[in-house]
Amino acid sequence: MQAFDVLGDPVRRRILELLADGEQSSGAVTAVIRAEFGISQPAVSQHLRVLRDNGFATVRPDGARRLYAVDDTALREADAWLGRFRRFWTPHLDALATEVARGKRQRRLAARDDDDPGVDP
């Protein structure tokens, strides 16, 4: 699937993480990516173009700036493709959620027992 080819690159994944927090100027994205990956501004621009051309990001002009945001089109397609495989990990995640809830309940009960002055240690 083409979406996974696009997402296979760690720079593009990081750009999407930045955009997931809200609309970002190309300058802001470039500053973070250059600092974290040590790549040039033209290289960052190329990654932004790949994301835009493949339905992962949108861009809109704002004066001299270009503002990028997540476009969920390709993400929805990837999610739909992954849907066929969710049955393999959903039971494990459900079991994990049950264990987390059980641990929280046990800690809550233990804290309540510790706070009860009528209980002998």
Side-chain angles (χ1 to χ4, degrees), residues 56-99:
F56 286 95
T58 61
V59 63
R60 71 176 180 87
D62 181 39
R65 300 183 323 159
R66 298 289 174 254
L67 299 176
Y68 285 83
V70 169
D71 179 349
D72 68 353
T73 303
L75 292 171
R76 287 178 188 264
E77 291 172 10
D79 184 59
W81 187 85
L82 284 169
R84 298 183 342 213
F85 303 97
R86 280 197 177 81
R87 63 186 167 97
F88 294 110
W89 65 76
T90 299
H92 300 290
L93 292 175
D94 291 344
L96 176 62
T98 299
E99 289 303 315

Side-chain angles (χ1 to χ4, degrees), residues 7-104:
L7 295 175
D9 186 281
V11 173
R12 290 193 284 265
R13 286 194 309 271
R14 179 64 177 124
I15 291 171
L16 276 178
E17 290 171 359
L18 294 171
L19 298 180
D21 291 336
E23 194 173 56
Q24 303 280 327
S25 70
S26 58
V29 170
T30 298
V32 171
I33 297 302
R34 288 187 73 187
E36 292 181 7
F37 292 91
I39 63 176
S40 67
Q41 181 275 327
V44 176
S45 293
Q46 183 65 28
H47 284 293
L48 285 166
R49 179 188 297 160
V50 169
L51 289 170
R52 192 178 64 238
D53 290 350
N54 288 281
F56 286 95
T58 61
V59 63
R60 71 176 180 87
D62 181 39
R65 300 183 323 159
R66 298 289 174 254
L67 299 176
Y68 285 83
V70 169
D71 179 349
D72 68 353
T73 303
L75 292 171
R76 287 178 188 264
E77 291 172 10
D79 184 59
W81 187 85
L82 284 169
R84 298 183 342 213
F85 303 97
R86 280 197 177 81
R87 63 186 167 97
F88 294 110
W89 65 76
T90 299
H92 300 290
L93 292 175
D94 291 344
L96 176 62
T98 299
E99 289 303 315
V100 169
R102 182 177 292 137
K104 285 181 181 179

